[in-house]
Amino acid sequence: MALSVSFLVGLVILHPWRNVESFRTGVGEQQVVMLEDGTRMSLNTATRVRVELGRAQRTVSVEGGEALFEVAKDVSRPFIVQAAGTEVVATGTAFVVRLTPGDSPAAAAALAVTLVEGQVVVRDASSVDAGAARRSPVVMAPGERMRLDSRTGAGESGKQGSSLALAVAQVDRPRMEQVLAWKRGEALFDDVSLLDAVVEMNRYSAVPIRLAESGGLDELRVSGLFQTGDNANFARAVAALHGLDLQESSEHLTLATRQTRAR
C-alpha cells in the first residue's frame, strides 16, 4: 500500500496538470469551440488545431487552415498560437491566424496574422534553428495584418521551408470586413485577380474551379460578395462578367476563354 501511494504521488510531480485536445473541420465546415479558460475559438474550413492548456501558459498549434481567437484575459498565463515556426503571444485580445502549408512546389507556404483588437507580439518560435537569422519580434496594433510568404524568403537556393524562417514579414491594414467575411459564410473580393478569388472559393468546396491554362484568365479582376461553398454560382457570375465559357461537371468547374475552349 505504501509503495502504491508513493508511485501515485510521483506521477503528480512528474506530470503537471494540463488539458490537451485536438479539433478539426472538414472542407466547407466551421466550428466554434469554447475552451476551459473562457477563450472562444472559431475554426474556418479545413482547419486543424491542437490545444494545450497548462498552468504556466496556454498553447494552440495551428497545423493548417484559419481560426479566430477571442482570448480570455489571464496575465499569469499568456496565450500562444504556434504556426510554421512562428508564435503569436497574447493575454486577452482577438486575432485571426491563417496558415497555408504549401503542399506542392507551385503553392507557396503562407502565414497571415490579423489583429482585430488588443495587442499581440509575433516572434520566431523557440523551436526555430538557433543558427538561423531570427526576425525581430513584431508588436501589432489593431487593424494590422502581418504576412509571411515562403516566396519572399527563398533566397538564392530557392528552398522554401515549411517553418517560413527566412520569409520577410510584410505588414498592411486590410478591410476587417473582408478578413472576417468567412464567419458569415461569405467571401468578399475587392478588385482581386481571378486566380486569387478561385483559390479562396476552392477552400470551401469539394467541386473545385479550374482555369484554362491559356488565355490569361488568372489576371482578370473580380469584385463582389459571394457565398462560400457555392462555386457554381460564383463561376457562372464570373463567366457572365468576362464573357467566358464555363464547363460544369460533378467533379470540377472549368472556366476558359471562348477562343480557347477547355478540353
Side-chain angles (χ1 to χ4, degrees), residues 114 143 145 173-181 188-190:
T114 306
R145 174 177 59 187
R173 299 185 69 88
R175 292 174 57 190
M176 200 58 62
E177 179 185 7
Q178 187 171 2
V179 173
L180 298 176
L188 177 60
F189 302 121
D190 184 8

Side-chain angles (χ1 to χ4, degrees), residues 86-89 113 115 119-124 135-141 144-148 167-172:
T86 301
E87 292 182 342
V88 184
V89 185
V113 179
L115 182 57
Q119 186 180 83
V120 297
V121 176
V122 183
R123 67 190 186 191
D124 287 340
R135 289 183 296 264
S136 298
V138 176
V139 180
M140 297 182 62
E144 288 185 338
R145 174 177 59 187
M146 194 206 74
R147 292 183 292 177
L148 299 174
V168 178
Q170 300 175 332
V171 179
D172 62 0

Side-chain angles (χ1 to χ4, degrees), residues 15-200:
H15 299 276
W17 175 89
R18 64 176 183 173
N19 180 18
V20 181
E21 294 182 279
S22 295
F23 303 92
R24 67 169 56 227
T25 56
V27 174
E29 295 179 347
Q30 292 184 5
Q31 183 180 8
V32 177
V33 180
M34 292 297 297
L35 302 181
E36 290 187 5
D37 68 331
T39 294
R40 181 185 178 94
M41 185 173 64
S42 301
L43 307 180
N44 196 6
T45 177
T47 298
R48 304 181 308 279
V49 301
R50 183 175 181 272
V51 179
E52 181 174 341
L53 301 181
R55 293 188 183 278
Q57 69 180 40
R58 301 164 288 172
T59 306
V60 177
S61 298
V62 178
E63 300 173 359
E66 184 173 24
L68 168 65
F69 300 95
E70 298 169 89
V71 181
K73 190 170 184 179
D74 187 343
V75 178
S76 65
R77 288 195 302 165
F79 192 93
I80 301 176
V81 176
Q82 300 174 335
T86 301
E87 292 182 342
V88 184
V89 185
T91 52
T93 186
F95 58 94
V96 179
V97 173
R98 174 170 171 172
L99 175 63
T100 305
D103 297 324
S104 68
L111 174 68
V113 179
T114 306
L115 182 57
V116 180
E117 62 181 39
Q119 186 180 83
V120 297
V121 176
V122 183
R123 67 190 186 191
D124 287 340
S126 57
S127 59
V128 174
D129 183 4
R134 288 181 174 271
R135 289 183 296 264
S136 298
V138 176
V139 180
M140 297 182 62
E144 288 185 338
R145 174 177 59 187
M146 194 206 74
R147 292 183 292 177
L148 299 174
D149 190 317
S150 60
R151 288 172 296 191
T152 67
E156 294 181 0
S157 65
K159 295 181 180 180
Q160 298 179 347
S162 60
S163 70
L164 298 172
L166 299 179
V168 178
Q170 300 175 332
V171 179
D172 62 0
R173 299 185 69 88
R175 292 174 57 190
M176 200 58 62
E177 179 185 7
Q178 187 171 2
V179 173
L180 298 176
W182 60 269
K183 285 183 59 59
R184 306 184 301 272
E186 297 171 341
L188 177 60
F189 302 121
D190 184 8
D191 192 33
V192 303
S193 71
L194 178 56
L195 177 60
D196 287 343
V198 165
V199 169
E200 180 66 16

